[in-house]
Structure formats: structure tokens, C-alpha cells
Amino acid sequence: MVTGATSGFGAAIAGKFAANGDNIIATGRRADRLQELKDKLESEYDVKVITLHFDVRDRNEVTAAVEQLSGMVDCVDILVNNAGLAAGLSTIDDGDVDDWDIMVDTNLKGLLYVTKYVLPLIKKSKQGHIINIGSTAGKVAYKNGNVYCATKFAVDALSQTMRIDLLPFGIKVTSVNPGLAETEFSIVRFKGDEDKAKSVYKGLDPLVADDIADVAFYCASQPAHVCINDITVTCTNQANSFYIIRDSEKVKNV
Ligand code: NDP
Ligand code: 8X3
């Protein structure tokens, strides 16, 4: 089960696991994109794709979707909590409170809702695994990142605590923390300003969605006794969320 499968990492992760022959539960708000993904994956691979169209911020929508799912599958083996976003990039005093609400409600509360309501299905699996998509922004804070960084630091804390809480059930919890990756992330962050979004990756050879799909798949492919706790992956131009080399020479802030 992959949240945020309509774009970027989520779509690539769904594709990677489907290529391995795994059935997929793909979720997101854009129903047309979910249908396209289902058509593509079912035509390319011998798998079944269930699509669930809901907003992770809406607890009622999450519970209704999971109820629908419970009638269709016996268990969920792997949940990838990927749905998330950044909205805006500004100092705390200039921050837009609506943007803050969107990020906290999606990245933190949405992840909690999905995890809580899907867990009964994960507990029924013999190989339960939760993969949370964190970020380098949840490891090292960067200028103007304030609330986005805070939500990803929170995801990091949740991954650590979930791993403790779910030990008795044999459920693995992995935190995958990507650095700069060119998806729709910056277009969303800058509210459709594609030029501004492109400038984030200028002079870099950034990660792409397939890189993160490969990492998530690797984490999920370990033997039963091996749990990768935490993995941070950046492009070669980046050391952490602060130190980045552009045009092979210059070191600048994000
Ligand atoms: P994209 O914008 O390409 O994809 C984001 C996905 O999240 C979309 O499928 C979107 O689906 C879904 N989503 C957003 N809000 C909601 C919501 N309220 N309810 C349900 N689904 C939602 O970005 P990425 O693939 O890059 O981002 C995926 C994750 O990776 C995010 O958590 C992001 O914070 C994290 N990340 C991204 C990095 C990057 O540089 N790109 C680096 C580190 C982490 P829809 O709009 O259809 O609902
Ligand atoms: C996304 C990476 O550096 O754009 O989490 O915040 S960054």
C-alpha cells in the first residue's frame, strides 16, 4: 500500500513493487491519475492494483477507505507512508498559517491516521513492514524550512517510536530520508511556479523518483530477521539539507 501514488516517489514505488509481481494498493486524491497508474501497471505486469481515492488529512475519508479495503484484502504486507508536501519557503515571521496547517495536517496527522487505521490489516500479515518517507529536512534544519522541517523531524520521531511500539508484533519500521529529488514536490511547494521549482535543482544532478523506489524496494527485500531502521540518501551534489554543491564548485544554502 503506497500513499501519494499519483506522482513522484509514490508512483515510482508502486511501479517498482508491481514489477516484482506484488499487488498494489495505490492511494491519492487525484482519481484520474490513480486510474492511469492502475491501467499501466495491470497491463505491464501480472498484478492487481486497488485504487483508493482519499485525502489523508480527512480522518473520515481515511477510515472509509480502509473499511472499503478491509472488504477487498485479507492483509497489508507493506505500508509506504509517502503522501506529503511542502507549502511555501519563508522565514517563520513571514510564514503563511494556512501553509503550516496543510503541512502539519498532511505530513504528520495524515501519516498518523493512515498508520492507525491500516495497522489492523498489517498485523494480519506475516511480514508486516511500514516504510515512512522522511527527509534530509527531518535530519538537519535549513533556512526557511521551519514548518516543513518540523513535520519531517516529527516523522523521524514517529518512525523511531513506531519501531518500539510494533516490536511485539514483528512489524518492521523503516525511515527512508531522501534529499533533493526532482518530482512535483517543488512545483507544489511554489504553488505551480515551474521556473522557481526548476531553479531548486539548477546545477545539480538531483535524485529522481526511481532512485527512492529502488531504496524502498531494497529495504523491503531484506530477510525476515533484518530491519533497516533508517536510511538517508542524497544526490552526490548534496551532503545534507544545508550543504549543496552546484555547478561542481559552489557551496550554497538551499
Ligand atoms: P510529489 O508532489 O511528486 O508527490 C506527492 C504525493 O503526495 C502525490 O501523490 C500527492 O497526491 C500526495 N499527497 C499530497 N497531499 C495529499 C493529501 N492531502 N492526501 C493524499 N495524498 C496527498 O512529491 P514527492 O514524490 O517528491 O514527495 C513524496 C514524499 O517525499 C513527500 O512526503 C515529501 O515530503 C517527501 N520528500 C520529497 C523530497 C523531494 O525532494 N522531492 C525529498 C525528501 C522527501 P495527490 O495530489 O493526488 O493527493
Ligand atoms: C524535500 C527535500 O531539501 O527540498 O524533503 O526540503 S528539501
Side-chain angles (χ1 to χ4, degrees):
M1 178 167 181
V2 188
T3 66
T6 57
S7 170
F9 298 163
I13 290 167
K16 180 78 186 179
F17 281 84
N20 185 54
D22 298 315
N23 294 324
I24 303 292
I25 302 153
T27 86
R29 289 168 300 179
R30 285 169 287 181
D32 52 338
R33 292 224 190 164
L34 288 175
Q35 187 60 46
E36 278 169 31
L37 183 73
K38 175 181 169 69
D39 293 345
K40 180 175 184 289
L41 298 184
E42 287 185 344
S43 69
E44 284 178 14
Y45 310 111
D46 186 20
V47 297
K48 188 169 176 225
V49 178
I50 294 172
T51 60
L52 296 172
H53 157 227
F54 63 90
D55 187 328
V56 296
R57 292 172 297 178
D58 186 322
R59 205 194 317 180
N60 293 330
E61 284 190 25
V62 176
T63 52
V66 175
E67 207 170 298
Q68 189 188 342
L69 182 63
S70 301
M72 301 164 84
V73 299
D74 295 331
C75 68
V76 168
D77 295 321
I78 303 168
L79 167 64
V80 185
N81 277 316
N82 164 74
L85 80 172
L89 183 72
S90 61
T91 57
I92 201 79
D93 49 322
D94 279 340
D96 179 324
V97 178
D98 290 333
D99 283 347
W100 296 354
D101 283 346
I102 291 169
M103 290 187 277
V104 172
D105 290 350
T106 309
N107 301 354
L108 181 52
K109 289 169 69 184
L111 181 148
L112 284 169
Y113 295 158
V114 172
T115 304
K116 163 84 182 163
Y117 296 116
V118 177
L119 258 170
L121 286 168
I122 302 175
K123 285 180 181 171
K124 289 185 183 165
S125 167
K126 290 192 170 59
Q127 48 186 63
H129 193 166
I130 297 174
I131 299 177
N132 292 326
I133 305 297
S135 172
T136 46
K139 298 288 186 184
V140 175
Y142 59 83
K143 191 179 172 201
N144 295 329
N146 43 65
V147 176
Y148 178 68
C149 292
T151 64
K152 291 298 183 177
F153 270 78
V155 170
D156 191 33
L158 282 174
S159 295
Q160 294 182 42
T161 52
M162 277 183 196
R163 193 173 307 114
I164 300 165
D165 296 346
L166 299 176
L167 272 181
F169 303 99
I171 297 171
K172 299 182 188 183
V173 178
T174 298
S175 178
V176 173
N177 310 296
L180 289 161
E182 196 160 7
T183 59
E184 294 179 12
F185 176 85
S186 290
I187 299 172
V188 171
R189 168 171 249 172
F190 298 122
K191 296 164 186 166
D193 186 335
E194 297 204 9
D195 290 339
K196 206 166 172 184
K198 274 235 158 300
S199 72
V200 173
Y201 311 103
K202 203 166 172 217
L204 303 178
D205 188 4
L207 297 172
V208 294
D210 284 341
D211 299 323
I212 300 309
D214 287 347
V215 171
F217 185 76
Y218 173 78
C219 293
S221 307
Q222 296 305 303
H225 67 287
V226 177
C227 174
I228 296 180
N229 287 202
D230 188 275
I231 185 161
T232 297
V233 50
T234 64
C235 67
T236 314
N237 292 83
Q238 182 172 21
N240 60 31
S241 66
F242 186 79
Y243 289 103
I244 295 162
I245 290 185
R246 295 183 196 270
D247 298 324
S248 308
E249 298 248 74
K250 270 174 134 180
V251 181
K252 278 188 187 166
N253 293 359
V254 174

